[in-house]
Amino acid sequence: MNVERCSQACGTSTFFGSQTRNSTALKNICLLGSTGYIGTNSLTVIRKNPGEYRVIALGAGRNLDILEKQIEEFAPRFAAVINSDLARELKARLNNRFDTKVLHGTEGYAYIAALPEVDLVIAAMTGSSGLVPTYSAISAGKDVALANKEALVIAGSVLTSESQRLGVHIVPIDSEHSAIMQSIQGHVREDLKKIILTGSGGPFKDYSLDELSQATPEAALKHPNWRMGKKITIDSATMMNKGIEAIEAKWLFDVDVDQIEILLHPQSIVHSLVEYVDGSIIAQLAFPDMRIPISYALSYPRHLDADLPSLDLLEVGSLNFEKPDTKRFRCLQLALTAGKIGQSMPAVLSGSNEIAVRAFLEGKIGFLDIPQLVEKTMEKHQVFAINSIDHAVEADRWAQAVAKEVLEEMVGNF
């Protein structure tokens, strides 16, 4: 291991070693996923810092009510939605009140992510739909504030290689990876021993297998500490999220999966830790509020005022940690296995999990059927190398198609 290798994999030379403060010039922002949980919180951060950021483009899905209000407030030059029908409806709603050009589909998202005037792309789209726009941003030389977990899981080798080639920063928005990034500032890469990822354990941390077999979508969506979108909240309940984060960390910080330890921490105060070869452990602590890692990703390497109260450790009292049970939460073990296998297997894990989570939310399968569907899909896969974005898209599409076949075998027509 050496300093240069990690710096290149992260797409930046400033994760490790000395830091310099960025210019105070206004940053032009493209926000992909503007109407979701991360997107709306990102706009809250931007709103609090009007002299720091300017919104150039917004990418949303189907929620035109929220998007219309965002356009009215931020007056972006471009907006993109999921399909042509929604694009026509949005144009009618705007009725030429703004000079906002409306685009649609993957091509529309990719176009706004690569706009010449954009300095930073916030990649907050959910699922594999965010992969191509994120790649488009990196290929255009844009720094990326990454909240889309699936992008690095599906195409980590491609995205990090491209960011290395172009000198692009991929700065994570996930609270865990933001904590890791902050914990390696000023340290030498070769001194790192391991990364310790923390997780709350979700709403079912102490459930027995019998209780998990009866878990409902409504119960799974009641996370004890965080308010997030449905997909990531279910992934937290299955602990798939923590395994996916391990794969992300592998690519962001150029470590082996075996160098990543996962601990449950129900208070969600310690967001992750880094251990060094001398036994020192550096951690980042904060309230469980996504505005903190979002703010840091937007202002990196600066810390801007997030208008949040200070963490009172006396009030917190105690911090508890425990090992996760991979027998009860098999999704975690499946993700770690996929991460060790590498190549196309993480993409298959991600694609099949998308189908399984959707089926669970729609009441078609039970909670414990999620890992079963994912595992059966992985078992059918012949691993191949991911050497291009097309290979990554192919692996994801294969996984989703086969997962639907597996689902039909389990419960009938999907």
Side-chain angles (χ1 to χ4, degrees):
M1 297 187 296
N2 58 69
V3 176
E4 182 181 8
R5 182 165 175 254
C6 178
S7 298
Q8 290 177 342
C10 298
T12 173
S13 61
T14 57
F15 277 12
F16 282 88
S18 62
Q19 290 291 311
T20 58
R21 294 176 70 85
N22 283 354
S23 167
T24 56
L26 203 66
K27 280 186 183 178
N28 289 331
I29 302 291
C30 169
L31 172 52
L32 301 172
S34 68
T35 60
Y37 176 76
I38 297 296
T40 54
N41 276 280
S42 295
L43 290 175
T44 297
V45 172
I46 290 169
R47 191 180 294 113
K48 284 290 298 179
N49 297 276
E52 298 284 340
Y53 312 109
R54 176 171 50 209
V55 177
I56 297 295
L58 295 172
R62 301 180 181 276
N63 197 327
L64 297 189
D65 290 338
I66 294 179
L67 179 59
E68 183 180 0
K69 291 178 181 177
Q70 292 173 345
I71 292 172
E72 290 174 350
E73 179 179 1
F74 294 97
R77 289 188 55 215
F78 292 87
V81 290
I82 198 166
N83 58 43
S84 58
D85 290 339
L86 288 170
R88 281 191 294 271
E89 183 180 345
L90 180 61
K91 289 178 184 178
R93 287 185 180 212
L94 297 178
N95 194 25
N96 297 317
R97 289 180 293 140
F98 305 94
D99 295 327
T100 301
K101 185 174 181 180
V102 179
L103 307 175
H104 67 271
T106 301
E107 290 184 358
Y109 298 133
Y111 180 85
I112 64 174
L115 287 168
E117 60 267 48
V118 166
D119 301 310
L120 176 70
V121 175
I122 304 173
M125 296 174 69
T126 301
S128 58
S129 62
L131 172 60
V132 171
T134 301
Y135 178 75
S136 177
I138 294 171
S139 295
K142 311 300 178 184
D143 288 339
V144 172
L146 185 65
N148 177 270
K149 296 174 179 295
E150 289 80 6
L152 280 177
V153 174
I154 297 170
S157 60
V158 177
L159 297 184
T160 53
S161 294
E162 188 73 350
S163 68
Q164 171 190 338
R165 184 177 72 84
L166 296 172
V168 167
H169 293 73
I170 302 176
V171 184
I173 283 179
D174 272 359
S175 61
E176 294 84 0
H177 301 99
S178 179
I180 295 164
M181 186 172 69
Q182 293 178 65
S183 297
I184 64 178
Q185 302 298 328
H187 294 270
V188 177
R189 172 65 179 85
E190 61 189 3
D191 294 345
L192 184 148
K193 182 178 180 181
K194 70 177 178 180
I195 286 169
I196 303 169
L197 275 172
T198 60
S200 68
F204 303 146
K205 181 177 75 72
D206 298 316
Y207 274 38
S208 67
L209 279 172
D210 286 342
E211 290 172 319
L212 289 174
S213 69
Q214 302 300 316
T216 66
E218 292 76 20
L221 290 170
K222 293 179 180 177
H223 195 283
N225 299 332
W226 297 95
R227 298 295 174 264
M228 306 173 289
K230 289 184 177 181
K231 165 67 165 54
I232 189 173
T233 304
I234 299 302
D235 283 348
S236 179
T238 64
M239 295 196 195
M240 174 67 83
N241 193 43
K242 211 48 52 181
I244 285 175
E245 287 172 2
I247 298 172
E248 285 184 276
K250 167 188 172 181
W251 292 113
L252 282 168
F253 306 110
D254 190 28
V255 295
D256 295 329
V257 173
D258 288 336
Q259 287 179 277
I260 302 169
E261 181 181 0
I262 295 172
L263 292 178
L264 300 185
H265 169 53
Q267 292 91 356
S268 294
I269 296 295
V270 179
H271 295 288
S272 277
L273 313 91
V274 176
E275 182 179 351
Y276 294 92
V277 292
D278 64 354
S280 300
I281 295 180
I282 309 296
Q284 186 261 345
L285 286 70
F287 281 119
D289 191 309
M290 283 306 300
R291 286 174 292 177
I292 296 173
I294 289 171
S295 177
Y296 187 65
L298 267 61
S299 62
Y300 171 80
R302 299 166 57 199
H303 292 265
L304 298 184
D305 184 0
D307 194 29
L308 293 169
S310 297
L311 176 64
D312 187 338
L313 290 176
L314 292 176
E315 183 178 337
V316 171
S318 61
L319 300 172
N320 305 106
F321 301 90
E322 60 187 271
K323 282 192 171 293
D325 184 346
T326 54
K327 292 182 179 179
R328 286 185 296 128
F329 296 95
R330 289 177 51 234
C331 281
L332 174 56
Q333 186 59 56
L334 290 172
L336 295 175
T337 298
K340 291 177 183 178
I341 294 172
Q343 301 189 84
S344 56
M345 191 59 84
V348 172
L349 172 93
S350 175
S352 57
N353 182 60
E354 281 198 42
I355 299 302
V357 169
R358 189 189 313 161
F360 172 67
L361 286 170
E362 293 174 352
K364 295 180 178 179
I365 61 174
F367 187 79
L368 293 179
D369 292 324
I370 296 175
Q372 183 180 353
L373 193 157
V374 172
E375 185 172 26
K376 286 184 176 181
T377 305
M378 290 173 62
E379 288 172 349
K380 292 177 179 289
H381 184 61
Q382 296 293 319
V383 175
F384 60 85
I386 302 292
N387 295 321
S388 70
I389 199 67
D390 290 338
H391 291 161
V393 171
E394 176 188 347
D396 175 69
R397 287 176 177 169
W398 181 93
Q400 295 206 29
V402 172
K404 288 177 181 178
E405 294 174 1
V406 172
L407 182 59
E408 289 178 1
E409 294 171 1
M410 292 171 64
V411 299
N413 188 42
F414 180 51

